[in-house]
């Protein structure tokens, strides 16, 4: 009922502004009879006559003159609201909420977006940095960065950014102090720093790069955590092996603080995705941000 009244107010304001039903019909793109019906319905809902009708002209009643001022304000407010919505849709303005893990955020997402963020200071950006899965609707996230072999969710649109290698790493100090590892079965004599964010964190499925032969091994854990940064720090301190994504330890591998264990065997790969809610039309701020992310990761590949 409220929506019908708002539509009727817009029609009424147009009739008064044009001084005729036919003029309002042309502006609104509807028939003259439809305009007349809207006015009758509005008068019935309000319980008053708004317009004196004659064959030559229309004139406002006292109630109509008073109501016209309110109708004009409503139409003006609606037009301004539409303009603001269009600006948010088409311009890089408003707020943008990006969900990511702390490690990916610091090491990859911020470097990817830093220059772009500086160039668009009308855009307010909020980073939700958490290792746990977040509900995009509950957290009002515009873009989520997710690592997964694949995403099966019809409510979201996915944009692959990079294939990510999963690897087993340790510090050189740890490897010097413990039995040599040349094949997966040697891991039975070692300790894994377990990250419980992963499914079956203590079970590792290796494939020989040379032969393709698969090996499943289970490693014991004395130390467990729910945080990737803490796990990699423990590994650097020599407390055990850790299974991580290559993107999370690029700096440590480059510096030699961590080294890959049995590189002749591979673990299952993951895909780094940018994820948005599945809509017909995305605001410009989201599409531009996705473009920047894709360009960054494709250049780094």
């Amino acid at each position: 009922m409220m929506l019908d009244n708002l539509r009727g107010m817009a029609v009424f304001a147009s009739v008064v502004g044009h001084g005729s039903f036919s003029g309002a019909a042309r502006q609104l793109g509807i028939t003259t009879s439809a305009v007349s019906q809207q006015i009758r319905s509005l008068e019935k809902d309000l319980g008053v006559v708004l317009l004196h009708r004659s064959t030559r002209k229309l004139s406002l009643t006292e109630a109509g003159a008073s109501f016209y001022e309110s109708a004009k304000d409503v139409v003006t407010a609606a037009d301004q609201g539409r303009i603001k919505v269009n600006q948010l849709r088409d311009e890089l303005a408003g707020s943008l909420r990006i969900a990511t893990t702390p490690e990916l955020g610091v090491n990859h997402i911020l470097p990817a977006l830093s220059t772009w963020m500086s160039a668009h200071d009308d855009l307010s950006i909020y980073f939700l940095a958490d290792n746990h899965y977040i509900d995009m609707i509950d957290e009002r996230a515009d873009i989520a960065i997710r690592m997964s072999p694949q995403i099966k969710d019809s409510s979201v649109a996915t944009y692959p950014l990079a294939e990510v290698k999963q690897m087993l790493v340790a510090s050189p100090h740890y490897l010097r102090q413990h039995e040599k590892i040349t094949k997966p079965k040697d891991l039975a004599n070692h300790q894994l720093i377990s990250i419980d964010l992963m499914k079956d964190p203590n079970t590792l499925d290796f494939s020989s790069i040379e032969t393709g032969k698969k090996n499943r091994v289970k490693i014991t854990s004395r130390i467990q955590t729910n945080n990737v940064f803490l796990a990699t720090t423990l590994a650097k301190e020599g407390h055990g092996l850790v299974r991580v994504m290559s993107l999370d330890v690029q700096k440590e591998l480059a510096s030699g603080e961590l080294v890959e264990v049995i590189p002749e065997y591979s673990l299952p790969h993951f895909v780094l995705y940018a994820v948005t809610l599945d809509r017909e039309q995305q605001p410009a701020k989201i599409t531009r941000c996705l473009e920047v992310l894709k360009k960054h990761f494709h250049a780094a590949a």
Side-chain angles (χ1 to χ4, degrees):
M1 184 64 71
M2 179 179 288
L3 187 60
D4 288 339
N5 283 345
L6 291 174
R7 188 180 295 111
M9 291 174 80
V11 172
F12 173 66
S14 182
V15 167
V16 176
H18 286 86
S20 69
F21 281 38
S22 58
R26 283 192 298 273
Q27 182 200 29
L28 298 171
I30 59 178
T31 64
T32 302
S33 62
V35 171
S36 180
Q37 177 61 43
Q38 286 281 351
I39 299 300
R40 283 197 300 272
S41 295
L42 186 62
E43 289 178 326
K44 182 179 178 181
D45 288 340
L46 295 172
V48 295
V49 175
L50 299 173
L51 293 166
H52 291 302
R53 301 162 177 85
S54 72
T55 55
R56 289 184 299 173
K57 66 175 184 176
L58 295 174
S59 60
L60 289 166
T61 65
E62 183 180 2
S66 174
F67 188 70
Y68 176 56
E69 296 304 317
S70 297
K72 277 199 306 182
D73 290 342
V74 167
V75 172
T76 300
D79 286 340
Q80 290 174 343
R82 188 179 295 110
I83 290 168
K84 288 181 180 178
V85 168
N86 288 340
Q87 286 175 335
L88 287 173
R89 185 193 65 203
D90 299 331
E91 298 177 9
L92 299 185
S95 65
L96 182 67
R97 293 169 67 86
I98 302 172
T100 179
T101 66
E103 296 77 24
L104 283 172
V106 170
N107 295 325
H108 300 283
I109 305 305
L110 289 182
L113 296 179
S114 183
T115 300
W116 181 75
M117 288 163 55
S118 298
H120 301 288
D121 51 12
D122 286 337
L123 195 60
S124 299
I125 300 178
Y126 186 93
F127 288 99
L128 298 97
D130 201 318
N131 283 119
H132 291 281
Y133 176 92
I134 67 114
D135 185 291
M136 294 188 69
I137 295 175
D138 288 348
E139 297 293 341
R140 296 179 292 113
D142 296 298
I143 299 173
I145 307 300
R146 290 183 178 163
M147 193 91 70
S148 178
Q150 58 183 329
I151 294 177
K152 297 178 180 179
D153 184 348
S154 60
S155 69
V156 299
T158 58
Y159 306 86
L161 299 177
E163 186 178 35
V164 182
K165 181 180 178 182
Q166 191 181 185
M167 57 172 54
L168 191 65
V169 298
S171 71
H173 171 73
Y174 174 88
L175 295 174
R176 286 193 299 268
Q177 298 296 316
H178 294 81
E179 291 184 29
K180 190 173 181 180
I181 306 170
T182 60
K183 50 191 177 297
K185 71 176 185 180
D186 296 336
L187 296 169
N189 300 317
H190 289 264
Q191 286 287 327
L192 180 73
I193 300 164
S194 177
I195 303 173
D196 65 13
L197 299 170
M198 299 178 177
K199 185 180 179 181
D200 298 326
N202 292 75
T203 302
L204 283 73
D205 291 304
F206 289 97
S207 295
S208 169
I209 293 174
E210 184 179 344
T211 67
K213 184 180 177 182
K214 298 186 182 302
N215 292 266
R216 172 171 284 192
V217 296
K218 195 169 182 70
I219 314 178
T220 57
S221 289
R222 186 174 65 87
I223 302 174
Q224 301 175 359
T225 180
N226 66 348
N227 185 274
V228 175
F229 179 72
L230 185 58
T232 55
T233 302
L234 286 163
K236 286 190 291 184
E237 294 293 326
H239 292 289
L241 309 163
V242 65
R243 173 172 53 157
V244 290
M245 302 298 166
S246 57
L247 281 177
D248 289 333
V249 290
Q250 282 183 339
K251 290 180 181 177
E252 290 80 2
L253 291 170
S255 68
E257 292 176 283
L258 293 173
V259 296
E260 185 176 5
V261 177
I262 48 172
E264 302 82 9
Y265 295 82
S266 66
L267 290 164
H269 287 199
F270 280 61
V271 176
L272 182 69
Y273 293 96
V275 177
T276 68
L277 293 176
D278 195 14
R279 330 181 158 104
E280 264 187 43
Q281 192 173 28
Q282 297 282 8
K285 59 191 175 186
I286 294 179
T287 57
R288 297 283 178 80
C289 184
L290 291 171
E291 288 168 6
V292 173
L293 288 171
K294 286 188 280 189
K295 184 177 179 181
H296 172 84
F297 282 99
H298 291 175

